[in-house]
Each structure stands twice: as C-alpha cells, then as structure tokens.
Amino acid sequence: MNLVGNWNYPTPVRFGAGRIAEIADACATAGITKPLLVTDRGLASMEITTKTLELLDEAGLGRAIFAEVDPNPSDKNVEAGLEVYRAGGFDGVVAFGGGSGLDLAKTLAFMARQTRPLWDFEDIGDWWTRADPAGIDPIVAVPTTAGTGSEVGRAGIITNSETHEKKIIFHPKMLPAVVICDPELTVGMPKSITAGTGLDAFAHCVEAFCSPHYHPMSQGIALEGMRLVKEYLPRAYADGTDLEARAHMMSAAAMGATAFQKGLGAIHALSHPIGAVHHTHHGTTNAVCMPAVLQFNREPCEGILGRAAAYLGIEGGFDGFCAFVGGFNASLGIPMTLTELGVQNPDLDSLTRSALNDPSTGGNPVEMTFENTRKLFEALL
Ligand SMILES: [Fe+2]
C-alpha cells in the first residue's frame, strides 16, 4: 500500500502504516527527552500501547504512562495527570488514543507549568492569552481511532465534573508539534467504535461545510473529507483489517478537524451536553442527531448541500443527501433516536440551556433559540 506521506499542514504529520516505529524520532523532533505517554484506561494494556512504550524505552526515553482517563475526560483527570506529570519531571507528552486520551494529554501539556486554574483558559473571547506560552510543553500525537481529529486540533474538551458541562480549553500551542498517523493502530477498533468515530469525522466535515463563516480552504477540505468517509467507512466497518480503508478514514478524521476551524453547529451543540450528562459515545451521538439537524437547517443548507451531493455522487440534491445520511446510519448500526441510544429521562430544559451555551452553537446556519432547540431535542427522542 502506497498511502504514505509527510505533510506539514496543519502541523507536521508522518502518515503511513508502520510509522509508529518513528515515535522516538518524533519525540526528538519535538524536543522531548522524557515523555509521559497519556492514554485512556481501555488502551493502557493493549498491545499497540505496550509496543509503543517498548519503542520509547529502547530509545532511552523511559516507559512512563498515565491512563486514568475517563471516556469523557474531566477536570479530575486533569488534576490527577498534572500531579503525575509534575512529580515525574516530564518534558512533553505522547498523546495516544482516541478523543479522550488525546484531549486529556494535550490539556496536561498545556497546563504543565501554568499558574492559573484550568477554567481560566476556557475558549471564551481571548482567554487563551492568559496562558504563559513558555509554560506549555510539546506534544507528539498518535491517534488510534479515526474520528476526533484532535491530533491536528488546537483544543481539548474537558468535562466540568461539578456542572457536567463539556468545556473547550483552547490555545494555539495545544496543536501537537508532530503527529504520527499510523492506520495499523486502528485495525483493532471494534465495529461500533469504527462507526461512531467515523461518523464523528463525517459530522465535522458536514458542519464545517455548512457553517456560514468565510473559510474557503476549510470548505474544500470538508468536501473531500465527506467523500472519503462515504467511500471508505463502509469498508472499514465491514472488514477492520482493510488497511487502505483504515488509512483513508484516518485522513478523513484529520481533515474534519482541520476543516472545523471554520465552525461546527447544532449537531455538536446538542451532542456535547448529551454526552456530558448521559455518557453516550460522542461520534455515535452526533450520528443520531444529524438527520434532525439537517432538516432543522434545511433552508440555508439546501443549495450548499445540494452541491455537496453532486460531488459525492448522490442524486436528488439536499433531499438526496438527507436520504443518504439516514441509510448510511442504518447500515452502520446507528440507533434512530436518543432513547434507543440509551438516554433515559433527559432534563430537556437543562440540556437546551447547555446546548445554547456550547461554542458550536455560533456556527450553526440557523440561529438556535431556546424554543427551537428544545423542539429539536424532543424530535430526537
Ligand atoms: Fe466531534
């Protein structure tokens, strides 16, 4: 397979099967001499993780790991991680895993030597300028799923354990210094996670594409990202060892996150509070929300998604696109409703308030109000 490349946009990416072998060199390039590998509990004992630790150890970089990371990582995980990081005298992180592991790792590197508390750096206005850039340690990111795209992002999503709200911590220096995209690391992903994470990438592309902000570069990336998901997610889902499909999905994930600098929208605005309160899988929740959100955004998106449909080889313009999404979800085992997803007795008023506070809300092409957003939640049950 010749899907190999060295990319410098939006950050240096070493792409290709087997390139995890370059992990020690990637640390050296990032200026890391004593890395802490940060991942989630589930991955900690898996072979891809222990092999990566061995590679680091063989290169004299030690084999330190922190894996006390919840599926929706919280401020408590950050606190525990910082204690380990600071006590161990580490000088950078290897962010290893899916969205949870990557986001927590990036947040640890960001907080490494800050003196202010975490929530002072929430992504509001120019709060990121409160951070001391010299107190941020370098990050080497290694995704093991294909969805979040956090490996090429400048933020981490952390749940406030008191308010159960997902908050974005943002700083330009949270962009990993080096990324290793090795599709072999994703072959062990179970079907449901392959589908959920892949559809997260798809939601990033669709929402970025529809967001009204001006960013034509994102527009192009989002469109091709959608095509890769449409062509290759069914193959990766059907056969997890299809390395070509896994590789294209890994690209689509990085493309989705690159594109959503343009903005996200109602899918993520709804999905974040549902995940924070009901602990549902992020990408799967997005997939459940997408059909209703497409209808919600019909008026401003009819033309633009009609053009996307034409590029994707989908007949019937906007309606064809919506029909495609419904069938795609069904073919990938995605529940039709939030109830089916496992959301029990939701407090719709509270979820609506959180959705309206979510930073993604501002990127939705239709203005979200309390009334129309609550109705949207109702339609999804
Ligand atoms: Fe997402």
Side-chain angles (χ1 to χ4, degrees):
M1 195 179 68
N2 61 353
L3 300 175
V4 179
N6 295 311
W7 306 332
N8 285 291
Y9 178 77
T11 194
V13 177
R14 303 178 183 203
F15 191 99
R19 295 194 72 177
I20 189 63
E22 298 173 33
I23 185 69
D25 186 63
C27 285
T29 302
I32 301 173
T33 60
K34 193 178 180 194
L36 178 64
L37 185 144
V38 178
T39 191
D40 62 66
R41 288 188 195 91
L43 269 172
S45 56
M46 285 177 64
E47 200 186 343
I48 51 173
T49 313
T50 50
K51 272 193 172 165
T52 303
L53 287 170
E54 264 161 42
L55 287 165
L56 290 170
D57 204 16
E58 280 164 17
L61 298 172
R63 49 181 313 137
I65 178 170
F66 175 77
E68 295 305 306
V69 181
D70 295 320
N72 289 302
S74 73
D75 43 4
K76 288 185 175 159
N77 300 149
V78 175
E79 232 170 83
L82 276 178
E83 229 166 85
V84 171
Y85 187 86
R86 288 169 176 162
F90 298 101
D91 63 358
V93 302
V94 171
F96 192 89
S100 310
L102 295 180
D103 281 8
L104 192 89
K106 286 163 61 185
T107 307
L108 289 186
F110 167 69
M111 289 295 291
R113 278 167 287 113
Q114 302 302 324
T115 50
R116 298 176 73 138
L118 177 68
W119 300 126
D120 278 10
F121 305 113
E122 197 187 328
D123 188 16
I124 298 174
D126 65 353
W127 284 18
W128 63 271
T129 59
R130 295 168 165 179
D132 171 11
I136 303 170
D137 281 352
I139 303 157
V140 170
V142 184
T144 63
T145 66
T148 167
S150 181
E151 66 274 12
V152 294
R154 304 173 299 167
I157 297 187
I158 304 295
T159 300
N160 183 318
S161 55
E162 274 171 31
T163 64
H164 303 287
E165 283 178 303
K166 286 196 177 192
K167 298 288 186 188
I168 296 180
I169 305 299
F170 167 85
H171 194 282
K173 280 189 78 178
M174 283 174 82
L175 182 69
V178 184
V179 178
I180 294 180
C181 279
D182 181 344
E184 277 180 0
L185 301 179
T186 68
V187 298
M189 252 195 301
K191 265 184 177 344
S192 64
I193 304 296
T194 298
T197 51
L199 290 169
D200 187 26
F202 190 64
H204 294 156
C205 293
V206 171
E207 292 214 287
F209 193 74
C210 294
S211 148
H213 305 302
Y214 180 68
H215 200 323
M217 286 189 275
S218 283
Q219 210 67 359
I221 291 170
L223 188 57
E224 176 64 0
M226 280 185 234
R227 187 189 72 83
L228 291 178
V229 176
K230 176 176 176 276
E231 304 292 322
Y232 295 101
L233 181 53
R235 273 175 54 177
Y237 183 76
D239 174 9
T241 65
D242 182 339
L243 209 51
E244 188 189 354
R246 290 293 197 188
H248 285 304
M249 282 307 301
M250 197 157 235
S251 292
M255 291 164 79
T258 304
F260 78 57
Q261 285 193 24
K262 177 171 180 271
L264 287 169
I267 295 171
H268 277 78
L270 300 183
S271 171
H272 285 151
I274 295 166
V277 178
H278 296 276
H279 308 291
T280 54
H281 182 263
H282 171 68
T284 311
T285 313
N286 288 342
V288 174
C289 293
M290 186 178 286
V293 171
L294 288 173
Q295 294 305 328
F296 182 82
N297 289 333
R298 169 182 282 271
E299 209 190 313
C301 291
E302 257 188 308
I304 193 174
L305 281 177
R307 289 203 294 281
Y311 177 73
L312 297 171
I314 296 168
E315 284 178 19
F318 177 83
D319 288 315
F321 187 88
C322 295
F324 161 75
V325 168
F328 203 49
N329 274 356
S331 71
L332 296 165
I334 300 298
M336 297 270 283
T337 63
L338 292 177
T339 314
E340 240 183 88
L341 182 67
V343 174
Q344 302 285 340
N345 304 316
D347 179 343
L348 290 188
D349 286 346
S350 162
L351 288 175
T352 302
R353 279 192 295 272
S354 299
L356 293 174
N357 270 332
D358 193 272
S360 311
T361 301
N364 198 66
V366 170
E367 194 190 342
M368 295 172 72
T369 65
F370 188 87
E371 205 189 5
N372 67 17
T373 303
R374 198 181 190 287
K375 268 196 191 144
L376 192 49
F377 272 121
E378 281 167 19
L380 282 163
L381 294 174

